[in-house]
Amino acid sequence: MAALLLSQIVLGKYAHELDRTPEKLKLMMLHKSFGISLLLLLLIRIVWTLFNVKPRPVLGTTRVQAISVWLSHASLYLLMFAIPLSGWLMNSAKNIPFSMFRSIKMPALIGPDEQLAEVFAELHETLVAGFLVILVIHVLAALWHHFFKRDSVLRRMSVGET
Ligand code: HEM
Ligand code: HEM
């Protein structure tokens, strides 16, 4: 999901810069299709986390650190939900019909509305910017655990580690 999400950002930015050519339409179709796929994967992931054990905080975690971890993970989840949703709302307000991978027709979430389309376009871009800021902090925190605290937080992301 991380790799797909980052590719989505590059794809979205790249396609946004293009003129209205068939290439842009094709890339946008892929952007929207992968975006909705990520939304579905996120829902599966949330159900999975509800029914599985949470990773334990490592020894020595202070209350302030525990709250920061909770806040940053909750923001990442919220943004992973809000970004594709705002894209879908923007697309609906722009009144552009779209089918996932040109085969599954997706419904419009709201009716056509030019002003709302602009609001959601702005929101879509701003949420991505916010997401990137939190992601940089997230990755730096993971590297700090691994290289400075030398604990198991990063290692236990891989299969078979606890
Ligand atoms: C788009 C990219 C990413 C997103 C959206 C993301 C999101 C998340 C979320 C939501 C959690 C909390 C999971 C849970 O407990 O339910 C998490 C945990 C974690 N992530 Fe990421 N992450 C991303 C990339 C990365 C990268 C590149 C690294 C490594 C450098 C990383 C390292 C970690 C670590 C070490 C944990 C904690 C695992 C544990 O407590 O056992 N993440 N990530
Ligand atoms: C995780 C999912 C997604 C990410 C990370 C993402 C990211 C982006 C980014 C970075 C841009 C460029 C914004 C700019 O620079 O102005 C963009 C544009 C756009 N995205 Fe998304 N997006 C996602 C999902 C979606 C979905 C699900 C839809 C619609 C169903 C969508 C529709 C659009 C549209 C219509 C544009 C504007 C393109 C243009 O103006 O030419 N996005 N997206």
Side-chain angles (χ1 to χ4, degrees), residues 2 45 54-55 73 76-77 80 135 138 153-154 156-157:
R45 198 194 154 96
K54 282 243 145 224
H73 288 177
L76 285 170
Y77 275 126
M80 280 193 280
L135 188 62
H138 179 73
V153 169
L154 184 60
R156 71 185 182 184
M157 292 288 285

Side-chain angles (χ1 to χ4, degrees), residues 3-153:
L4 197 54
L5 249 163
L6 294 176
S7 320
Q8 265 296 93
I9 298 178
V10 177
L11 183 58
K13 289 263 173 223
Y14 175 73
H16 178 66
E17 299 300 324
L18 294 179
D19 295 328
R20 265 193 150 268
T21 55
E23 192 204 353
K24 172 164 180 156
L25 293 182
K26 189 177 163 209
L27 291 180
M28 279 317 296
M29 182 278 293
L30 288 175
H31 177 77
K32 294 171 197 176
S33 306
F34 283 120
I36 301 287
S37 309
L38 275 163
L39 191 58
L40 293 173
L41 283 173
L42 178 72
L43 297 180
I44 296 171
R45 198 194 154 96
I46 288 173
V47 173
W48 171 270
T49 55
L50 289 179
F51 291 97
N52 282 278
V53 282
K54 282 243 145 224
R56 285 183 312 277
V58 281
L59 274 180
T61 304
T62 63
R63 210 175 138 69
V64 174
Q65 280 172 336
I67 294 171
S68 322
V69 167
W70 188 88
L71 278 177
S72 61
H73 288 177
S75 328
L76 285 170
Y77 275 126
L78 196 71
L79 288 164
M80 280 193 280
F81 179 72
I83 291 170
L85 185 67
S86 60
W88 194 355
L89 285 164
M90 176 211 320
N91 198 69
S92 310
K94 279 185 177 176
N95 200 18
I96 306 176
F98 99 94
S99 298
M100 260 181 92
F101 301 108
R102 295 211 170 113
S103 46
I104 307 165
K105 195 172 170 2
M106 299 303 290
L109 295 178
I110 49 172
D113 186 324
E114 264 179 46
Q115 265 181 343
L116 265 186
E118 269 177 41
V119 171
F120 285 124
E122 208 46 60
L123 189 64
H124 196 57
E125 193 183 352
T126 310
L127 291 178
V128 171
F131 174 76
L132 285 175
V133 171
I134 301 174
L135 188 62
V136 168
I137 298 171
H138 179 73
V139 172
L140 288 178
L143 297 177
W144 176 72
H145 273 280
H146 191 69
F147 291 109
F148 291 98
K149 284 193 80 189
R150 294 178 180 275
D151 58 29
S152 62
V153 169

